[in-house]
Amino acid sequence: MFPTKVARAAGSGASVPVECCQVCGSEKLNRVLSLGYMPPVNQMVPIGQVPRQQPWFPTDLLHCRNCDLVQLGLAVDPVIIFPPEYPYTSGTTKLLRDNFADLQRESAAMLGLTGDDLVVDIGSNDGTLLSNFKTGGQKVLGIEPTDVGDIANNRGIPTIKRYFGVEVAREVKAKHGPASVVTAANCFAHIEDVHAIVDGIVEMLKDDGVFISESHYLIGLLDTLQYDTVYHEHLRYYSVASLKHLLEMHGLEVFHARPIPSHGGSIRVYAARRGARPVEDSVAKMLAAEPRGEAMAKRLADFRRDVVLSKLRLMAMLRGLKEKGARIAGISAPSRASTMVNYVGLDEGIIDYVVEIAGSLKIGKCMPGTQIPVVDEARLFEDQPDCAVIFSWHIADELAPKLKAKGFRGQLITPLPVPRVL
Ligand SMILES: [Zn+2]
């Protein structure tokens, strides 16, 4: 039932092409989009360093014609894509903090959680999600392999610093008892051996325990042309249907699903052992709005056409500005900016610099794959370039008023879904 012919990238120090579906094992994989070769998004060299050779990896999206999962065509060793010097902490973004508070409120009310209930978070990062459950009175435990787990431990969120799998799940259950809730927020698409993760989750859950996952949403990605979220950390792009299919392979049933705003459009999906919880109407409603089979293939072909057009449109807009002698900056350097910059072909001749908020670890480095410098935001207000492209365009509504309030007088441009001046 599960994919067997799978070489693993983890531990290889390199990459492995995806030749059969990561979930169902089918070899009927259609290439729906190729963004070309990309540098790892966290590979940023110091400004002024003599350029040296760097690895670039093919970045293709594949569609499984058997189970409709959309997935990356290459798995890269996590050692390469998660370098320890750029720890990502989830507590730093207001939108994500608010979302995690909402997750606790919603689930505690729906499941009637009390002080006896244990909540385990996989990929618990700095403990931001669990801190909400702790405040809510639940027992909490985080599992986080990177050094970011130390931050959680220091703030009183007990965190095991290990890679999650069935073995860790058994140890957790033996020591702490079965979990009422297991959460995985935005790491469920990152881990190569997804079946081992789900096995471990099922192992930890009480008989009526609930697994809550949050993932970037494929349909939202297609609707708003977010090809820039395609990079090597993101191995799978879930719909409710493909997630449901995966969980059903392990005896879990999806009983509630809803869209949430994180990362420009995500889904929160609740699952429990088959028959343990009544299935809410929300599941059928979301499934009904998702294309399947031939309709999905057609939707993906349209997406590819629109992505190519969006690249040409952005270039045309920037060409017009450049011909008038405009100076162009970039606003913020999230991981997704790396995909956009490299796919569209932006370089330091087009974008003078990209600004990040003071304190960002990216300041003083170059955008991946380019020599575009990343500098302190203060530069934007002193320099007043004619225009600035907002690379974190998915939160432009929040950013644009702030930039204007701080004194930026130039034009602000959002590059997606359609390039436009705000
Ligand atoms: Zn498949």
Side-chain angles (χ1 to χ4, degrees), residues 353-401:
Y353 51 85
V354 172
V355 299
E356 276 269 296
I357 289 172
S360 162
L361 295 169
K362 295 178 178 180
I363 292 171
K365 310 270 169 61
C366 291
M367 293 294 286
T370 76
Q371 297 194 46
I372 305 172
V374 180
V375 301
D376 191 300
E377 192 185 55
R379 170 95 171 263
L380 187 77
F381 309 116
E382 288 159 18
D383 192 33
Q384 297 290 344
D386 304 286
C387 43
V389 179
I390 303 179
F391 289 120
S392 45
W393 59 275
H394 60 298
I395 51 167
D397 290 350
E398 197 183 308
L399 277 181

mmCIF file of all heavy atoms in Angstrom, residues 353-401:
data_model
loop_
_atom_site.group_PDB
_atom_site.id
_atom_site.type_symbol
_atom_site.label_atom_id
_atom_site.label_comp_id
_atom_site.label_asym_id
_atom_site.label_seq_id
_atom_site.Cartn_x
_atom_site.Cartn_y
_atom_site.Cartn_z
ATOM 1 N N TYR A 353 18.356 46.925 -3.640
ATOM 2 C CA TYR A 353 18.525 46.251 -2.353
ATOM 3 C C TYR A 353 17.166 45.821 -1.840
ATOM 4 O O TYR A 353 16.137 46.291 -2.337
ATOM 5 C CB TYR A 353 19.211 47.163 -1.311
ATOM 6 C CG TYR A 353 18.561 48.516 -1.167
ATOM 7 C CD1 TYR A 353 17.462 48.694 -0.317
ATOM 8 C CD2 TYR A 353 19.000 49.619 -1.908
ATOM 9 C CE1 TYR A 353 16.839 49.927 -0.206
ATOM 10 C CE2 TYR A 353 18.382 50.856 -1.810
ATOM 11 C CZ TYR A 353 17.299 51.006 -0.962
ATOM 12 O OH TYR A 353 16.667 52.214 -0.850
ATOM 13 N N VAL A 354 17.188 44.910 -0.871
ATOM 14 C CA VAL A 354 15.958 44.467 -0.205
ATOM 15 C C VAL A 354 16.083 44.841 1.263
ATOM 16 O O VAL A 354 17.152 44.674 1.857
ATOM 17 C CB VAL A 354 15.764 42.941 -0.356
ATOM 18 C CG1 VAL A 354 14.602 42.443 0.492
ATOM 19 C CG2 VAL A 354 15.539 42.566 -1.823
ATOM 20 N N VAL A 355 15.011 45.393 1.842
ATOM 21 C CA VAL A 355 15.091 45.789 3.256
ATOM 22 C C VAL A 355 14.385 44.784 4.164
ATOM 23 O O VAL A 355 13.391 44.188 3.798
ATOM 24 C CB VAL A 355 14.502 47.202 3.492
ATOM 25 C CG1 VAL A 355 15.276 48.235 2.703
ATOM 26 C CG2 VAL A 355 13.010 47.265 3.159
ATOM 27 N N GLU A 356 14.964 44.610 5.328
ATOM 28 C CA GLU A 356 14.370 43.777 6.382
ATOM 29 C C GLU A 356 14.326 44.618 7.654
ATOM 30 O O GLU A 356 15.134 45.539 7.840
ATOM 31 C CB GLU A 356 15.254 42.552 6.648
ATOM 32 C CG GLU A 356 15.030 41.390 5.707
ATOM 33 C CD GLU A 356 13.987 40.391 6.219
ATOM 34 O OE1 GLU A 356 14.218 39.758 7.260
ATOM 35 O OE2 GLU A 356 12.942 40.267 5.574
ATOM 36 N N ILE A 357 13.407 44.285 8.558
ATOM 37 C CA ILE A 357 13.272 45.008 9.827
ATOM 38 C C ILE A 357 14.521 44.806 10.675
ATOM 39 O O ILE A 357 15.114 43.721 10.683
ATOM 40 C CB ILE A 357 12.004 44.524 10.560
ATOM 41 C CG1 ILE A 357 10.778 45.029 9.805
ATOM 42 C CG2 ILE A 357 11.973 44.989 12.001
ATOM 43 C CD1 ILE A 357 9.471 44.482 10.299
ATOM 44 N N ALA A 358 14.942 45.860 11.373
ATOM 45 C CA ALA A 358 16.148 45.819 12.203
ATOM 46 C C ALA A 358 16.138 44.583 13.096
ATOM 47 O O ALA A 358 15.107 44.228 13.670
ATOM 48 C CB ALA A 358 16.224 47.077 13.064
ATOM 49 N N GLY A 359 17.271 43.899 13.176
ATOM 50 C CA GLY A 359 17.360 42.707 14.012
ATOM 51 C C GLY A 359 17.278 41.426 13.197
ATOM 52 O O GLY A 359 17.640 40.355 13.677
ATOM 53 N N SER A 360 16.805 41.525 11.936
ATOM 54 C CA SER A 360 16.718 40.337 11.079
ATOM 55 C C SER A 360 18.105 39.762 10.827
ATOM 56 O O SER A 360 19.056 40.497 10.545
ATOM 57 C CB SER A 360 16.076 40.706 9.739
ATOM 58 O OG SER A 360 16.352 39.699 8.778
ATOM 59 N N LEU A 361 18.223 38.425 10.923
ATOM 60 C CA LEU A 361 19.508 37.763 10.693
ATOM 61 C C LEU A 361 19.914 37.809 9.225
ATOM 62 O O LEU A 361 21.035 37.478 8.870
ATOM 63 C CB LEU A 361 19.418 36.299 11.133
ATOM 64 C CG LEU A 361 19.205 36.061 12.629
ATOM 65 C CD1 LEU A 361 18.869 34.610 12.905
ATOM 66 C CD2 LEU A 361 20.449 36.489 13.399
ATOM 67 N N LYS A 362 18.984 38.233 8.365
ATOM 68 C CA LYS A 362 19.284 38.258 6.927
ATOM 69 C C LYS A 362 20.021 39.539 6.507
ATOM 70 O O LYS A 362 20.606 39.594 5.426
ATOM 71 C CB LYS A 362 17.988 38.092 6.130
ATOM 72 C CG LYS A 362 17.372 36.720 6.383
ATOM 73 C CD LYS A 362 16.068 36.510 5.667
ATOM 74 C CE LYS A 362 15.580 35.083 5.975
ATOM 75 N NZ LYS A 362 14.308 34.765 5.332
ATOM 76 N N ILE A 363 19.971 40.563 7.359
ATOM 77 C CA ILE A 363 20.649 41.823 7.043
ATOM 78 C C ILE A 363 22.162 41.566 6.953
ATOM 79 O O ILE A 363 22.729 40.862 7.781
ATOM 80 C CB ILE A 363 20.327 42.895 8.109
ATOM 81 C CG1 ILE A 363 18.854 43.285 8.014
ATOM 82 C CG2 ILE A 363 21.221 44.126 7.955
ATOM 83 C CD1 ILE A 363 18.355 44.173 9.150
ATOM 84 N N GLY A 364 22.777 42.132 5.901
ATOM 85 C CA GLY A 364 24.219 41.913 5.717
ATOM 86 C C GLY A 364 24.528 40.745 4.799
ATOM 87 O O GLY A 364 25.675 40.481 4.478
ATOM 88 N N LYS A 365 23.465 40.042 4.360
ATOM 89 C CA LYS A 365 23.636 38.922 3.439
ATOM 90 C C LYS A 365 23.055 39.307 2.081
ATOM 91 O O LYS A 365 22.428 40.354 1.941
ATOM 92 C CB LYS A 365 22.899 37.687 3.979
ATOM 93 C CG LYS A 365 23.206 37.340 5.432
ATOM 94 C CD LYS A 365 24.384 36.402 5.509
ATOM 95 C CE LYS A 365 24.927 36.206 6.906
ATOM 96 N NZ LYS A 365 24.007 35.649 7.864
ATOM 97 N N CYS A 366 23.264 38.433 1.096
ATOM 98 C CA CYS A 366 22.655 38.651 -0.213
ATOM 99 C C CYS A 366 21.462 37.719 -0.384
ATOM 100 O O CYS A 366 21.432 36.623 0.173
ATOM 101 C CB CYS A 366 23.659 38.373 -1.320
ATOM 102 S SG CYS A 366 24.982 39.573 -1.402
ATOM 103 N N MET A 367 20.484 38.175 -1.184
ATOM 104 C CA MET A 367 19.350 37.300 -1.515
ATOM 105 C C MET A 367 19.912 36.027 -2.162
ATOM 106 O O MET A 367 20.852 36.095 -2.961
ATOM 107 C CB MET A 367 18.405 37.999 -2.513
ATOM 108 C CG MET A 367 17.682 39.213 -1.950
ATOM 109 S SD MET A 367 16.524 38.773 -0.635
ATOM 110 C CE MET A 367 15.198 38.022 -1.589
ATOM 111 N N PRO A 368 19.361 34.864 -1.838
ATOM 112 C CA PRO A 368 19.892 33.602 -2.354
ATOM 113 C C PRO A 368 20.051 33.624 -3.877
ATOM 114 O O PRO A 368 19.176 34.120 -4.597
ATOM 115 C CB PRO A 368 18.822 32.579 -1.953
ATOM 116 C CG PRO A 368 18.152 33.181 -0.762
ATOM 117 C CD PRO A 368 18.176 34.669 -0.994
ATOM 118 N N GLY A 369 21.173 33.153 -4.351
ATOM 119 C CA GLY A 369 21.388 33.026 -5.791
ATOM 120 C C GLY A 369 21.672 34.326 -6.508
ATOM 121 O O GLY A 369 21.786 34.344 -7.737
ATOM 122 N N THR A 370 21.753 35.452 -5.766
ATOM 123 C CA THR A 370 21.958 36.751 -6.401
ATOM 124 C C THR A 370 22.959 37.565 -5.586
ATOM 125 O O THR A 370 23.417 37.130 -4.541
ATOM 126 C CB THR A 370 20.662 37.590 -6.449
ATOM 127 O OG1 THR A 370 20.410 38.118 -5.137
ATOM 128 C CG2 THR A 370 19.474 36.773 -6.891
ATOM 129 N N GLN A 371 23.261 38.762 -6.080
ATOM 130 C CA GLN A 371 24.072 39.683 -5.289
ATOM 131 C C GLN A 371 23.241 40.888 -4.839
ATOM 132 O O GLN A 371 23.778 41.979 -4.594
ATOM 133 C CB GLN A 371 25.302 40.105 -6.080
ATOM 134 C CG GLN A 371 26.180 38.894 -6.366
ATOM 135 C CD GLN A 371 27.563 39.262 -6.842
ATOM 136 O OE1 GLN A 371 28.224 40.128 -6.295
ATOM 137 N NE2 GLN A 371 27.996 38.593 -7.896
ATOM 138 N N ILE A 372 21.925 40.694 -4.731
ATOM 139 C CA ILE A 372 21.067 41.758 -4.188
ATOM 140 C C ILE A 372 21.285 41.814 -2.679
ATOM 141 O O ILE A 372 21.017 40.835 -1.982
ATOM 142 C CB ILE A 372 19.572 41.476 -4.469
ATOM 143 C CG1 ILE A 372 19.311 41.270 -5.968
ATOM 144 C CG2 ILE A 372 18.706 42.617 -3.920
ATOM 145 C CD1 ILE A 372 17.890 40.804 -6.294
ATOM 146 N N PRO A 373 21.777 42.950 -2.148
ATOM 147 C CA PRO A 373 22.041 43.005 -0.714
ATOM 148 C C PRO A 373 20.762 43.163 0.101
ATOM 149 O O PRO A 373 19.816 43.805 -0.345
ATOM 150 C CB PRO A 373 22.930 44.256 -0.574
ATOM 151 C CG PRO A 373 22.590 45.109 -1.746
ATOM 152 C CD PRO A 373 22.162 44.181 -2.857
ATOM 153 N N VAL A 374 20.755 42.549 1.277
ATOM 154 C CA VAL A 374 19.650 42.738 2.220
ATOM 155 C C VAL A 374 20.148 43.701 3.297
ATOM 156 O O VAL A 374 21.180 43.461 3.926
ATOM 157 C CB VAL A 374 19.207 41.401 2.853
ATOM 158 C CG1 VAL A 374 18.059 41.634 3.840
ATOM 159 C CG2 VAL A 374 18.791 40.410 1.776
ATOM 160 N N VAL A 375 19.422 44.818 3.470
ATOM 161 C CA VAL A 375 19.886 45.888 4.367
ATOM 162 C C VAL A 375 18.782 46.273 5.356
ATOM 163 O O VAL A 375 17.624 45.878 5.204
ATOM 164 C CB VAL A 375 20.322 47.145 3.558
ATOM 165 C CG1 VAL A 375 21.447 46.806 2.585
ATOM 166 C CG2 VAL A 375 19.132 47.735 2.795
ATOM 167 N N ASP A 376 19.168 47.057 6.344
ATOM 168 C CA ASP A 376 18.221 47.528 7.370
ATOM 169 C C ASP A 376 17.152 48.419 6.734
ATOM 170 O O ASP A 376 17.437 49.235 5.866
ATOM 171 C CB ASP A 376 19.001 48.327 8.432
ATOM 172 C CG ASP A 376 18.140 48.626 9.657
ATOM 173 O OD1 ASP A 376 17.090 49.291 9.512
ATOM 174 O OD2 ASP A 376 18.527 48.188 10.757
ATOM 175 N N GLU A 377 15.922 48.261 7.221
ATOM 176 C CA GLU A 377 14.775 49.001 6.688
ATOM 177 C C GLU A 377 14.993 50.519 6.678
ATOM 178 O O GLU A 377 14.446 51.230 5.834
ATOM 179 C CB GLU A 377 13.546 48.657 7.536
ATOM 180 C CG GLU A 377 12.246 49.107 6.959
ATOM 181 C CD GLU A 377 11.087 48.838 7.918
ATOM 182 O OE1 GLU A 377 11.152 49.297 9.080
ATOM 183 O OE2 GLU A 377 10.136 48.175 7.517
ATOM 184 N N ALA A 378 15.803 51.015 7.614
ATOM 185 C CA ALA A 378 16.053 52.457 7.712
ATOM 186 C C ALA A 378 16.516 53.036 6.369
ATOM 187 O O ALA A 378 16.188 54.173 6.022
ATOM 188 C CB ALA A 378 17.097 52.728 8.790
ATOM 189 N N ARG A 379 17.254 52.227 5.608
ATOM 190 C CA ARG A 379 17.781 52.663 4.315
ATOM 191 C C ARG A 379 16.665 53.120 3.374
ATOM 192 O O ARG A 379 16.824 54.088 2.610
ATOM 193 C CB ARG A 379 18.561 51.480 3.696
ATOM 194 C CG ARG A 379 18.998 51.651 2.257
ATOM 195 C CD ARG A 379 20.413 52.165 2.141
ATOM 196 N NE ARG A 379 20.868 52.125 0.771
ATOM 197 C CZ ARG A 379 21.611 51.146 0.249
ATOM 198 N NH1 ARG A 379 22.004 50.132 0.998
ATOM 199 N NH2 ARG A 379 21.986 51.196 -1.008
ATOM 200 N N LEU A 380 15.530 52.439 3.436
ATOM 201 C CA LEU A 380 14.406 52.768 2.546
ATOM 202 C C LEU A 380 13.918 54.192 2.775
ATOM 203 O O LEU A 380 13.637 54.927 1.837
ATOM 204 C CB LEU A 380 13.262 51.775 2.792
ATOM 205 C CG LEU A 380 12.063 51.857 1.852
ATOM 206 C CD1 LEU A 380 12.389 51.205 0.507
ATOM 207 C CD2 LEU A 380 10.845 51.180 2.459
ATOM 208 N N PHE A 381 13.834 54.580 4.052
ATOM 209 C CA PHE A 381 13.285 55.901 4.382
ATOM 210 C C PHE A 381 14.288 57.020 4.138
ATOM 211 O O PHE A 381 13.908 58.141 3.816
ATOM 212 C CB PHE A 381 12.776 55.894 5.829
ATOM 213 C CG PHE A 381 11.868 54.738 6.116
ATOM 214 C CD1 PHE A 381 12.219 53.754 7.031
ATOM 215 C CD2 PHE A 381 10.665 54.599 5.418
ATOM 216 C CE1 PHE A 381 11.387 52.673 7.264
ATOM 217 C CE2 PHE A 381 9.834 53.512 5.646
ATOM 218 C CZ PHE A 381 10.197 52.547 6.566
ATOM 219 N N GLU A 382 15.572 56.721 4.275
ATOM 220 C CA GLU A 382 16.607 57.727 3.964
ATOM 221 C C GLU A 382 16.735 57.901 2.467
ATOM 222 O O GLU A 382 16.811 58.997 1.942
ATOM 223 C CB GLU A 382 17.976 57.260 4.499
ATOM 224 C CG GLU A 382 18.107 57.314 5.999
ATOM 225 C CD GLU A 382 19.222 56.383 6.489
ATOM 226 O OE1 GLU A 382 20.092 55.982 5.672
ATOM 227 O OE2 GLU A 382 19.197 56.034 7.688
ATOM 228 N N ASP A 383 16.759 56.784 1.761
ATOM 229 C CA ASP A 383 17.087 56.745 0.345
ATOM 230 C C ASP A 383 15.902 57.141 -0.545
ATOM 231 O O ASP A 383 16.078 57.741 -1.602
ATOM 232 C CB ASP A 383 17.539 55.305 0.042
ATOM 233 C CG ASP A 383 18.182 55.171 -1.305
ATOM 234 O OD1 ASP A 383 18.838 56.132 -1.735
ATOM 235 O OD2 ASP A 383 18.006 54.118 -1.945
ATOM 236 N N GLN A 384 14.677 56.826 -0.067
ATOM 237 C CA GLN A 384 13.443 57.087 -0.839
ATOM 238 C C GLN A 384 13.565 56.683 -2.319
ATOM 239 O O GLN A 384 13.476 57.531 -3.222
ATOM 240 C CB GLN A 384 13.046 58.576 -0.732
ATOM 241 C CG GLN A 384 12.700 59.021 0.670
ATOM 242 C CD GLN A 384 11.376 58.426 1.202
ATOM 243 O OE1 GLN A 384 10.552 57.919 0.446
ATOM 244 N NE2 GLN A 384 11.205 58.485 2.512
ATOM 245 N N PRO A 385 13.756 55.389 -2.606
ATOM 246 C CA PRO A 385 13.740 54.949 -4.016
ATOM 247 C C PRO A 385 12.358 55.209 -4.623
ATOM 248 O O PRO A 385 11.383 55.397 -3.894
ATOM 249 C CB PRO A 385 14.019 53.441 -3.910
ATOM 250 C CG PRO A 385 13.602 53.057 -2.533
ATOM 251 C CD PRO A 385 13.876 54.258 -1.669
ATOM 252 N N ASP A 386 12.285 55.238 -5.965
ATOM 253 C CA ASP A 386 11.026 55.577 -6.628
ATOM 254 C C ASP A 386 9.942 54.542 -6.363
ATOM 255 O O ASP A 386 8.772 54.870 -6.294
ATOM 256 C CB ASP A 386 11.262 55.705 -8.143
ATOM 257 C CG ASP A 386 12.343 56.718 -8.441
ATOM 258 O OD1 ASP A 386 12.055 57.906 -8.311
ATOM 259 O OD2 ASP A 386 13.493 56.307 -8.755
ATOM 260 N N CYS A 387 10.351 53.290 -6.264
ATOM 261 C CA CYS A 387 9.361 52.255 -5.980
ATOM 262 C C CYS A 387 9.986 51.072 -5.256
ATOM 263 O O CYS A 387 11.202 50.931 -5.207
ATOM 264 C CB CYS A 387 8.639 51.804 -7.254
ATOM 265 S SG CYS A 387 9.714 51.590 -8.634
ATOM 266 N N ALA A 388 9.095 50.245 -4.701
ATOM 267 C CA ALA A 388 9.542 49.087 -3.934
ATOM 268 C C ALA A 388 8.583 47.927 -4.159
ATOM 269 O O ALA A 388 7.366 48.099 -4.109
ATOM 270 C CB ALA A 388 9.633 49.428 -2.451
ATOM 271 N N VAL A 389 9.158 46.775 -4.459
ATOM 272 C CA VAL A 389 8.368 45.560 -4.676
ATOM 273 C C VAL A 389 8.220 44.848 -3.329
ATOM 274 O O VAL A 389 9.213 44.561 -2.660
ATOM 275 C CB VAL A 389 9.069 44.615 -5.684
ATOM 276 C CG1 VAL A 389 8.240 43.339 -5.885
ATOM 277 C CG2 VAL A 389 9.324 45.318 -7.003
ATOM 278 N N ILE A 390 6.967 44.588 -2.925
ATOM 279 C CA ILE A 390 6.727 43.903 -1.646
ATOM 280 C C ILE A 390 6.786 42.392 -1.870
ATOM 281 O O ILE A 390 5.871 41.796 -2.429
ATOM 282 C CB ILE A 390 5.355 44.300 -1.050
ATOM 283 C CG1 ILE A 390 5.269 45.820 -0.876
ATOM 284 C CG2 ILE A 390 5.123 43.592 0.286
ATOM 285 C CD1 ILE A 390 3.943 46.300 -0.316
ATOM 286 N N PHE A 391 7.899 41.773 -1.440
ATOM 287 C CA PHE A 391 8.043 40.327 -1.664
ATOM 288 C C PHE A 391 7.161 39.515 -0.720
ATOM 289 O O PHE A 391 6.791 38.395 -1.033
ATOM 290 C CB PHE A 391 9.507 39.911 -1.541
ATOM 291 C CG PHE A 391 10.344 40.391 -2.691
ATOM 292 C CD1 PHE A 391 11.423 41.241 -2.501
ATOM 293 C CD2 PHE A 391 10.028 40.007 -3.995
ATOM 294 C CE1 PHE A 391 12.180 41.684 -3.569
ATOM 295 C CE2 PHE A 391 10.775 40.446 -5.075
ATOM 296 C CZ PHE A 391 11.865 41.293 -4.862
ATOM 297 N N SER A 392 6.843 40.094 0.476
ATOM 298 C CA SER A 392 5.876 39.397 1.338
ATOM 299 C C SER A 392 4.496 39.973 1.031
ATOM 300 O O SER A 392 3.786 40.484 1.893
ATOM 301 C CB SER A 392 6.240 39.553 2.803
ATOM 302 O OG SER A 392 6.575 40.891 3.069
ATOM 303 N N TRP A 393 4.136 39.878 -0.250
ATOM 304 C CA TRP A 393 2.920 40.504 -0.785
ATOM 305 C C TRP A 393 1.660 39.945 -0.142
ATOM 306 O O TRP A 393 0.622 40.609 -0.132
ATOM 307 C CB TRP A 393 2.870 40.301 -2.307
ATOM 308 C CG TRP A 393 2.883 38.861 -2.696
ATOM 309 C CD1 TRP A 393 4.004 38.089 -2.852
ATOM 310 C CD2 TRP A 393 1.768 38.007 -2.921
ATOM 311 N NE1 TRP A 393 3.645 36.799 -3.156
ATOM 312 C CE2 TRP A 393 2.268 36.728 -3.215
ATOM 313 C CE3 TRP A 393 0.385 38.190 -2.918
ATOM 314 C CZ2 TRP A 393 1.453 35.638 -3.482
ATOM 315 C CZ3 TRP A 393 -0.448 37.108 -3.189
ATOM 316 C CH2 TRP A 393 0.094 35.852 -3.471
ATOM 317 N N HIS A 394 1.747 38.719 0.412
ATOM 318 C CA HIS A 394 0.557 38.113 1.017
ATOM 319 C C HIS A 394 0.137 38.834 2.298
ATOM 320 O O HIS A 394 -0.968 38.637 2.782
ATOM 321 C CB HIS A 394 0.790 36.620 1.296
ATOM 322 C CG HIS A 394 1.930 36.339 2.240
ATOM 323 N ND1 HIS A 394 3.227 36.693 1.963
ATOM 324 C CD2 HIS A 394 1.946 35.782 3.464
ATOM 325 C CE1 HIS A 394 3.991 36.337 2.981
ATOM 326 N NE2 HIS A 394 3.251 35.789 3.905
ATOM 327 N N ILE A 395 1.044 39.674 2.864
ATOM 328 C CA ILE A 395 0.645 40.499 4.010
ATOM 329 C C ILE A 395 0.771 41.991 3.677
ATOM 330 O O ILE A 395 0.998 42.833 4.545
ATOM 331 C CB ILE A 395 1.441 40.155 5.294
ATOM 332 C CG1 ILE A 395 2.954 40.144 5.020
ATOM 333 C CG2 ILE A 395 1.001 38.824 5.883
ATOM 334 C CD1 ILE A 395 3.807 40.118 6.304
ATOM 335 N N ALA A 396 0.621 42.310 2.377
ATOM 336 C CA ALA A 396 0.769 43.702 1.923
ATOM 337 C C ALA A 396 -0.226 44.644 2.608
ATOM 338 O O ALA A 396 0.100 45.791 2.903
ATOM 339 C CB ALA A 396 0.614 43.787 0.407
ATOM 340 N N ASP A 397 -1.426 44.148 2.880
ATOM 341 C CA ASP A 397 -2.452 44.987 3.535
ATOM 342 C C ASP A 397 -1.965 45.480 4.892
ATOM 343 O O ASP A 397 -2.311 46.581 5.326
ATOM 344 C CB ASP A 397 -3.744 44.186 3.758
ATOM 345 C CG ASP A 397 -4.450 43.888 2.450
ATOM 346 O OD1 ASP A 397 -4.029 44.464 1.423
ATOM 347 O OD2 ASP A 397 -5.390 43.072 2.451
ATOM 348 N N GLU A 398 -1.189 44.639 5.552
ATOM 349 C CA GLU A 398 -0.666 44.983 6.874
ATOM 350 C C GLU A 398 0.582 45.867 6.736
ATOM 351 O O GLU A 398 0.782 46.802 7.505
ATOM 352 C CB GLU A 398 -0.313 43.661 7.567
ATOM 353 C CG GLU A 398 -0.126 43.689 9.051
ATOM 354 C CD GLU A 398 0.301 42.298 9.559
ATOM 355 O OE1 GLU A 398 -0.371 41.293 9.240
ATOM 356 O OE2 GLU A 398 1.330 42.223 10.251
ATOM 357 N N LEU A 399 1.409 45.559 5.714
ATOM 358 C CA LEU A 399 2.702 46.229 5.564
ATOM 359 C C LEU A 399 2.613 47.635 4.972
ATOM 360 O O LEU A 399 3.271 48.569 5.444
ATOM 361 C CB LEU A 399 3.612 45.399 4.648
ATOM 362 C CG LEU A 399 4.373 44.247 5.278
ATOM 363 C CD1 LEU A 399 5.228 43.558 4.206
ATOM 364 C CD2 LEU A 399 5.276 44.772 6.397
ATOM 365 N N ALA A 400 1.801 47.790 3.911
ATOM 366 C CA ALA A 400 1.795 49.047 3.154
ATOM 367 C C ALA A 400 1.494 50.261 4.042
ATOM 368 O O ALA A 400 2.239 51.260 3.998
ATOM 369 C CB ALA A 400 0.815 48.952 1.981
ATOM 370 N N PRO A 401 0.425 50.212 4.879
ATOM 371 C CA PRO A 401 0.149 51.386 5.730
ATOM 372 C C PRO A 401 1.301 51.693 6.692
ATOM 373 O O PRO A 401 1.605 52.860 6.936
ATOM 374 C CB PRO A 401 -1.103 50.976 6.513
ATOM 375 C CG PRO A 401 -1.667 49.786 5.822
ATOM 376 C CD PRO A 401 -0.553 49.135 5.083
#
